[in-house]
Amino acid sequence: MTSRATRVLVLNSGSSSLKYQLLDMRDNARLAAGLVERIGEETSRLVHTPRPDGGDADGGDADGGDADGGDADGSGKRERTGPIADHTEALEAVSAELARDGLGLDSPELAAIGHRVVHGGLKFTAPTVVDDAVLAEIERLVPVAPLHNPANLTGIRTAQRLRPDLPQVAVFDTAFHTTMPEHAARYAIDVATADAHRIRRYGFHGTSHAYVSRKTAELLGREPADVNVIVLHLGNGASASAVAGGRCVDTSMGLTPLEGLVMGTRSGDIDPAVTFHLKRVAGMSVDEIDELLNKKSGLVGLCGDNDMREIRRRVDAGDERARLAFDIYVHRLKKYIGAYTAVLGRVDAVVFTAGVGENAAPVREAAVAGLETLGLAVDAGLNAVRSDKPRIISPRDARVAVAVVPTDEELEIAQQTFALVDEGRTVIA
Ligand code: ADP
């Protein structure tokens, strides 16, 4: 009997972490998911969840949070701690866990490995099967993504070593945004300087914006090509995009993920002269300023917390600092909704996604409050419903739909990967 290889392993490699999901593309079922963290330390930890669709509705470990050992929640979760020296060992450990469930990396049913790659520059406009030239180009982009691309490369090379025969596919965070017109992508700085250093707006979270904008069209019962959507991806990192007929025409992140919305720890938009000021007047080094704006700003800089649940709790308890942080966050969101309404001309839906967007009803309510002239409103009852399904939360007669659409970057990476490699190859079952 013959059958197709229908499984895709999705890898998301960070500098000291490796997240993974194994999916079966016949029905998009998640067969396993997990995370290795603190790679290279004595206290590395692997958390492996077989059949995660059964439990874990919030997608896991968004806040670096901790699943405690054993299987207390009945999810079948397994945990192992102890030193894991590097990504090769990490992937070997993952493979061993998968093998315990009969899903090892050596399985002939594995069709490909899909890798999240953060920066694809202008060259990579679509998912790409990795070869030496592709690796070299991802390497060439390290100066514009110094934190992410090296880790992504390590993940790819490790997977190549373990399964040299298997297609490795790179799916780029920037790809969806490569359709942005020049007038949205260019900064108004000297063109020669910008071009010499590849300074332009690339945008990130593209896999999420692509998935969510397409799902929104589905929710509205229309073709993506007929729908204009503003996507608000509000996680710890946050970005907005304007999507016209399925193509991104503007997005809030820029050369790096620092630009745009107020985020958990990043400032988002800021007068660039603040950086000169911090150097000249406050005597800070470039690295210190980088750390300030990326790690100690945003919600955490404003009020000491970056978790919207905690901020809302404090707001409800009358905490003024938390209130101001919330108001600044929402004010920036409103500005982007207004700006992207102007960019798109006609808006069919404003859609909220990611940890904050999917869960924080007060953020959604506040972000569209007072925007009735743009056709925007939320129905308080619908907004309060908790669900992990795509849903419309605007009143029935609203001119513009306001929606909540849970994102699924791993599924999108798996689908893009599979679409690229599946040519009806057969394996002996
Ligand atoms: P990441 O950018 O790390 O992938 P996520 O999309 O998982 O982030 O979002 C994480 C954030 O979502 C948390 O920092 C928290 O602020 C927010 N969040 C998660 N659950 C809730 C909730 N129930 N209510 C409000 N905010 C939430």
Side-chain angles (χ1 to χ4, degrees):
M1 190 180 123
T2 60
S3 68
R4 282 159 67 216
T6 55
R7 292 181 191 152
V8 173
L9 179 67
V10 176
L11 294 183
N12 182 352
S13 310
S15 55
S16 65
S17 70
L18 176 69
K19 290 187 196 153
Y20 61 94
Q21 279 193 17
L22 181 69
L23 294 99
D24 189 327
M25 304 320 293
R26 282 174 301 190
D27 55 359
N28 297 336
R30 291 197 295 164
L31 304 176
L35 160 78
V36 188
E37 56 188 357
R38 299 195 289 273
I39 296 172
E41 294 177 32
E42 289 300 306
T43 58
S44 315
R45 191 172 72 137
L46 187 160
V47 181
H48 176 86
T49 310
R51 292 271 167 201
D53 289 332
D56 195 7
D58 79 358
D61 193 277
D63 307 318
D66 4 356
D68 276 328
D71 184 18
D73 55 3
S75 65
K77 202 176 268 189
R78 301 196 293 269
E79 185 177 330
R80 87 163 237 216
T81 45
I84 294 180
D86 53 26
H87 283 75
T88 306
E89 265 188 37
L91 194 54
E92 278 165 359
V94 169
S95 184
E97 288 301 331
L98 289 169
R100 280 178 67 181
D101 301 328
L103 300 167
L105 286 195
D106 53 356
S107 165
E109 287 177 67
L110 192 58
I113 301 181
H115 298 265
R116 175 187 184 215
V117 179
V118 166
H119 217 308
L122 287 182
K123 196 148 190 169
F124 295 115
T125 59
T128 305
V129 175
V130 174
D131 59 17
D132 288 348
V134 171
L135 283 175
E137 183 62 23
I138 297 172
E139 182 102 57
R140 215 173 67 83
L141 288 161
V142 166
V144 283
L147 295 179
H148 295 104
N149 274 29
N152 302 153
L153 277 169
T154 305
I156 296 174
R157 290 193 173 113
T158 302
Q160 277 181 326
R161 270 199 299 277
L162 289 184
R163 278 297 303 266
D165 57 315
L166 210 61
Q168 311 283 336
V169 175
V171 178
F172 299 92
D173 259 24
T174 45
F176 184 63
H177 304 303
T178 54
T179 53
M180 271 197 289
E182 259 329 78
H183 59 252
R186 274 207 179 261
Y187 292 111
I189 63 172
D190 171 62
V191 170
T193 306
D195 288 352
H197 301 286
R198 285 178 288 177
I199 295 168
R200 59 187 285 122
R201 310 187 55 256
Y202 294 98
F204 299 89
H205 291 146
T207 310
S208 176
H209 287 284
Y211 177 84
V212 168
S213 55
R214 219 178 46 240
K215 279 273 163 193
T216 304
E218 213 174 274
L219 181 67
L220 299 179
R222 294 162 66 178
E223 289 300 318
D226 298 335
V227 178
N228 288 354
V229 187
I230 297 172
V231 180
L232 303 168
H233 175 112
L234 311 178
N236 205 11
S239 63
S241 69
V243 183
R247 292 165 66 84
C248 177
V249 294
D250 206 349
T251 194
S252 59
M253 284 177 167
L255 173 73
T256 76
L258 183 55
E259 190 179 347
L261 299 173
V262 176
M263 311 183 207
T265 66
R266 298 187 196 120
S267 63
D269 294 336
I270 198 167
D271 180 344
V274 170
T275 58
F276 321 146
H277 187 82
L278 287 170
K279 183 147 172 54
R280 292 181 187 136
V281 179
M284 289 174 72
S285 71
V286 170
D287 285 345
E288 285 168 343
I289 298 169
D290 188 328
E291 166 138 349
L292 175 80
L293 297 181
N294 274 298
K295 305 241 170 81
K296 298 181 181 164
S297 296
L299 293 169
V300 89
L302 288 166
C303 74
D305 272 310
N306 62 338
D307 190 317
M308 191 52 80
R309 284 164 286 204
E310 182 58 17
I311 292 169
R312 281 309 309 175
R313 198 194 55 70
R314 287 173 56 188
V315 170
D316 292 342
D319 183 320
E320 286 302 321
R321 268 180 77 201
R323 172 91 247 168
L324 182 60
F326 183 83
D327 289 348
I328 293 170
Y329 183 93
V330 166
H331 181 68
R332 186 80 52 85
L333 265 178
K334 276 195 163 140
K335 292 211 288 193
Y336 272 91
I337 293 171
Y340 287 174
T341 300
V343 166
L344 288 169
R346 186 201 84 225
V347 179
D348 299 297
V350 172
V351 52
F352 290 86
T353 193
V356 175
E358 291 166 28
N359 295 298
V363 170
R364 299 191 296 253
E365 182 191 337
V368 302
L371 300 186
E372 294 81 7
T373 50
L374 301 183
L376 289 167
V378 296
D379 175 290
L382 294 174
N383 190 33
V385 172
R386 297 194 62 83
S387 161
D388 58 2
K389 299 275 176 305
R391 59 204 186 270
I392 290 173
I393 58 168
S394 44
R396 209 169 266 283
D397 58 351
R399 184 152 51 84
V400 179
V402 180
V404 181
V405 174
T407 192
D408 195 337
E409 287 161 283
E410 288 78 13
L411 176 60
E412 180 71 16
I413 291 172
Q415 286 180 331
Q416 292 193 14
T417 297
F418 194 60
L420 198 60
V421 303
D422 180 46
E423 287 152 0
R425 285 171 310 115
T426 56
V427 294
I428 307 301

